[in-house]
Amino acid sequence: MKRIVLWGLLMCFLDFNNVWAKEVNYQELYSYLENNVKEANDSNTCYDSEVSMSDSGILINYIKKANSSSLCSDKNWSFKLNFKEKSLEYSSYYFRIEADASDKIVEFLNLDNYWLEKVISFLNIDASKEYSIKGGYNIMREYYKYIDGSEYGPVYKEVPFYSCLNYLTSEDFLYAYNVDANSVTLNLNNVFHSILFSMAAVERSTDNINFVKINAPYDYAGEYKDVGLLPNTKYYYRLEDLVIEVTTLDNKINDNISNSGGNDINNIENPQTGEMMPWLSLIAFILGIVFIKARIKIYSK
């Protein structure tokens, strides 16, 4: 009987442990950024950074230092990483205002760059590339151009900064659905629409060696339907270095099925996917107690 009780408690413990398993990566990212606050504050003469996390994302507010100079802007500024259903998303605050030299936003942009580089490092992203299909991200860089006055007249300057980052967090960037005997519909995640015109076309193969292009980048609209296929045939679809495998249906089968191909995209799970887990765990716990009691009665007889 003791063995049964211990087994039941162990199952419940493991189940409750699993409740927050899907949150680990976002939580680790938050902890990683929080551990860099002191370094950020020590290296910036205008602002201190305060990091917080919610279900919607990670927010870093910039607070003007008490001993800051008059050259530091009094504007409110923040760095926000949004948790989307299938992506981690960053957009520079710069796009939400009209800024010129009098706004003194260079320090803000420098801080934005600092924090985004920390995120890039944590995600192990190759920042020298604008996007990666297999790695699941795209980065956009811009230059903030402004006129700064001096005793010799206006001086034209520019400051490089990251304007946005999208990081895919699920393994369904490229997948097939509505598969029938003669056609396959491919889904392409909307997160990359900003870079579609520079991306390679989707390619198709029957041997996973020799590929032919089946569309051009401008054909993308979130999905692409490949028609004129042979029934009961295995096809491979490639986008950059990402390949999925799909088998068309036999002519006798009328029902559509969904096929999804695996890939090597790194996962960062959305914490919101775990919202129902506490209830499921509670139900599992109650069922575990009922099972244990039933087993005790059997043994007591």
Side-chain angles (χ1 to χ4, degrees), residues 100-120:
D100 57 31
S102 63
D103 289 318
K104 307 167 188 173
I105 69 166
V106 173
E107 286 292 335
F108 289 134
L109 294 180
N110 287 338
L111 267 175
D112 283 356
N113 281 343
Y114 172 87
W115 285 114
L116 197 60
E117 284 171 1
K118 293 298 180 184
V119 174
I120 288 170

Side-chain angles (χ1 to χ4, degrees), residues 238-263:
R238 183 171 70 185
L239 182 61
E240 290 283 304
D241 50 3
L242 179 63
V243 178
I244 64 169
E245 175 186 308
V246 183
T247 301
T248 54
L249 301 186
D250 190 280
N251 268 326
K252 298 176 182 178
I253 302 176
N254 295 319
D255 294 332
N256 289 338
I257 61 172
S258 295
N259 293 283
S260 65
N263 58 48

